Amino acid sequence: MSQVELDTSVGYLLKMASSSLHGAMEAVLRPLGMTITHYSCLELLSQRPGLSNSELARGTFVTRQSMNVLLQALERDGLVARPERAPSGRVLPTTLTPKGRRQLATASGAVRAVEDAMLTGMSAADQEQLRRLLRSCVAALKAPADTL
């Protein structure tokens, strides 16, 4: 039986990078009263207004139930708005309020600083190559199960 060599395991290195990024993002968002999921939800709504609970859950990697709880809190705090009734079907599209946009602007700057720190020492070409390689990894793992 062969063991995975941790020093050269891409999966292990990705997990280390993910864990480090997660910790650094938590550290800058916590003083703003935000979690990573809270921030991610606002960022998604900024870029894709009108997303449903299910779409936001998928985009932030949480369950629909967890997203529903978060959306209720964000709505109560005046950061997002949802119609009382679904315009069509059962989907309640969610949008950012001006207060939500202001909070997101502050948080985005903090998160951008974390990402900039993570990429320090990489050239623009290296950064683009990293993005390309990570997208390739994601695509390869999303391939049909029979190809794995």
Side-chain angles (χ1 to χ4, degrees):
M1 177 167 106
S2 68
Q3 288 185 300
V4 172
E5 191 63 42
L6 295 181
D7 291 342
T8 58
S9 169
V10 173
Y12 188 73
L13 291 169
L14 280 171
K15 182 62 179 170
M16 285 177 52
S18 174
S19 181
S20 296
L21 177 61
H22 191 271
M25 286 178 64
E26 279 184 336
V28 299
L29 292 171
R30 190 177 306 113
L32 303 175
M34 298 175 76
T35 64
I36 293 171
T37 304
H38 174 145
Y39 162 74
S40 298
C41 179
L42 296 185
E43 192 68 68
L44 276 171
L45 287 171
S46 171
Q47 296 181 34
R48 301 179 193 139
L51 290 178
S52 69
N53 177 52
S54 293
E55 292 165 325
L56 287 166
R58 279 191 297 278
T60 59
F61 310 103
V62 299
T63 65
R64 287 187 318 241
Q65 295 83 356
S66 294
M67 181 52 63
N68 192 48
V69 170
L70 176 61
L71 286 175
Q72 288 174 2
L74 295 176
E75 192 171 22
R76 183 183 60 244
D77 294 343
L79 301 171
V80 301
R82 296 189 289 176
E84 297 241 352
R85 291 196 177 97
S88 64
R90 294 174 42 197
V91 175
L92 292 175
T94 308
T95 56
L96 284 179
T97 64
K99 182 178 178 181
R101 280 191 271 291
R102 286 190 301 274
Q103 187 181 69
L104 176 60
T106 302
S108 290
V111 169
R112 194 172 309 106
V114 168
E115 288 190 5
D116 288 347
M118 178 177 67
L119 298 172
T120 296
M122 285 189 200
S123 68
D126 287 344
Q127 291 177 35
E128 185 51 41
Q129 182 179 21
L130 177 61
R131 283 188 282 276
R132 185 181 53 75
L133 292 170
L134 289 171
R135 284 187 201 104
S136 178
C137 289
V138 170
L141 291 175
K142 284 187 173 181
D146 58 305
T147 63
L148 294 178

